[in-house]
Amino acid sequence: QLVSFAQSHGYAVFYITGRPESQTAATIKDLTSAGYAAPQAGHLFLKPATAPSYLHCANPSACTTIEYKSGTRKHISSEGYSIVADFGDQYSDLLGGDAGHQVKLPNPMYYIP
């Protein structure tokens, strides 16, 4: 409901996941099966095998999750978007900057220390 509310009030919604790009179709299926609208073109980011040029990671061949997600948020901001809120069930979803208001969601089934 929050995503639908945000979209209906003119907010762009982006999805950033640590899933590999090979799971794009499955990720879209999971989102739509859960009741979300399919992400707009360019608004779904899955972790690529090699870092895109906008990411600057300590080890370019293997960005950490925090480097990948915060760098992707920074990239989104560089395209003129202001990130007003960031929601995630892992602290790696929220750390590293460019996150706006941060909301840590509980997830007792899955935790990355």
Side-chain angles (χ1 to χ4, degrees):
Q1 290 174 333
L2 177 61
V3 170
S4 296
F5 178 86
Q7 289 173 322
S8 71
H9 285 79
Y11 290 90
V13 175
F14 291 86
Y15 300 89
I16 304 172
T17 178
R19 289 180 175 191
E21 284 183 327
S22 62
Q23 294 183 10
T24 299
T27 300
I28 293 170
K29 182 180 178 188
D30 289 347
L31 287 168
T32 57
S33 292
Y36 296 92
Q40 293 180 358
H43 287 216
L44 174 62
F45 292 86
L46 288 91
K47 196 169 184 180
T50 57
S53 61
Y54 62 81
L55 289 178
H56 306 286
C57 304
N59 177 1
S61 64
C63 292
T64 67
T65 300
I66 293 170
E67 289 173 324
Y68 158 66
K69 291 184 178 182
S70 64
T72 301
R73 288 192 304 269
K74 186 174 186 127
H75 169 69
I76 292 167
S77 295
S78 77
E79 293 187 334
Y81 293 94
S82 295
I83 298 175
V84 296
D86 184 20
F87 298 83
D89 65 345
Q90 304 299 310
Y91 288 107
S92 61
D93 298 332
L94 309 173
L95 298 174
D98 285 284
H101 180 77
Q102 300 172 330
V103 179
K104 169 70 171 72
L105 303 169
N107 185 347
M109 302 301 291
Y110 181 72
Y111 174 71
I112 300 173

